[in-house]
Amino acid sequence: MLIKPVLAAIALSLIVDVCGYKPAGKGKSLPADIKVIAVPIFRNSVLQYRIEQRFTQAVMEEILKRGRRLKVTTNPDAADAELDGDIVGFRAPGSILDDQGRTRVWDLRIDVSVTLRDLKRHTVLYQNPRMSFSGEYELSSDPKSFFNEENPAVDRIAKDFAQAIVTTILEGL
């Protein structure tokens, strides 16, 4: 007696997409005619040493690693699409102090503005004025083993950013 309504509800739920969930890789992706993406060196609006080079390199490596049908260049004249980036925010406030009151752990936050343009159609495919990524780094309390951990932390954040933006480009604009 209750079996028919339950079976009908199950069949209806399998036919109709009611929750808005989409499996990864099923979003609107990059147009098929885009074969070459230009990734010019990102702008560095925060004047943090070489940060734009780290982010640009991380994005290019991630595209080459995951975008098997895509080629990457730094020259927009030789590309079908262009990914422009600008490092617009860099904050590294101290968050944990040691017994002497010195900062030992810093929270690092980097904000990036990105725009992906289709150069053939002269349209914007994706734009986000402030993608925020964060991490932390710690300094040793022993001065003999001092090593500035900020640069490796920036590299980790650049890699996280590259993975996020390439996933957005390839799997769901």
Side-chain angles (χ1 to χ4, degrees), residues 8 29 33 39-40 45 52 65 77 90-91 127 132 134 151 154:
S29 62
D33 64 332
V39 184
S45 296
E52 74 284 359
K65 183 171 87 176
D77 295 332
F90 184 94
R91 292 188 61 226
Q127 186 170 28
S132 293
S134 60
N151 289 333
V154 169

Side-chain angles (χ1 to χ4, degrees), residues 13-155:
S13 70
L14 292 173
I15 295 171
V16 179
D17 180 18
V18 293
C19 67
Y21 169 80
K22 287 187 231 169
K26 300 294 183 192
K28 180 182 167 196
S29 62
L30 201 59
D33 64 332
I34 293 179
K35 306 286 187 213
V36 180
I37 295 182
V39 184
I41 295 178
F42 284 20
R43 286 177 299 290
N44 183 352
S45 296
V46 295
L47 303 177
Q48 187 70 23
Y49 180 68
R50 294 188 66 224
I51 194 169
E52 74 284 359
Q53 294 172 10
R54 290 183 168 131
F55 273 72
T56 304
Q57 186 66 34
V59 169
M60 292 177 82
E61 288 173 1
E62 190 68 20
I63 291 172
L64 290 172
K65 183 171 87 176
R66 293 188 38 214
R68 290 185 173 87
R69 68 174 182 89
L70 294 173
K71 294 181 182 174
V72 180
T73 182
T74 57
N75 180 8
D77 295 332
D80 305 314
E82 179 180 22
L83 180 66
D84 283 320
D86 186 5
I87 312 299
V88 295
F90 184 94
R91 292 188 61 226
S95 62
I96 297 179
L97 305 177
D98 65 10
D99 295 340
Q100 287 82 31
R102 296 175 296 201
T103 303
R104 289 293 172 215
V105 177
W106 280 263
D107 290 324
L108 182 57
R109 178 180 161 171
I110 301 173
D111 300 322
V112 185
S113 172
V114 292
T115 303
L116 178 66
R117 290 182 185 82
D118 184 328
L119 297 176
K120 292 180 178 180
R121 294 178 190 89
H122 304 289
T123 58
V124 173
L125 298 173
Y126 177 79
Q127 186 170 28
N128 189 333
R130 190 167 293 269
M131 293 180 75
S132 293
F133 291 84
S134 60
E136 65 179 35
Y137 65 96
E138 182 177 352
L139 292 182
S140 171
S141 58
D142 180 15
K144 293 178 184 174
S145 65
F146 175 78
F147 178 74
N148 185 357
E149 291 289 336
E150 183 177 283
N151 289 333
V154 169
D155 290 340

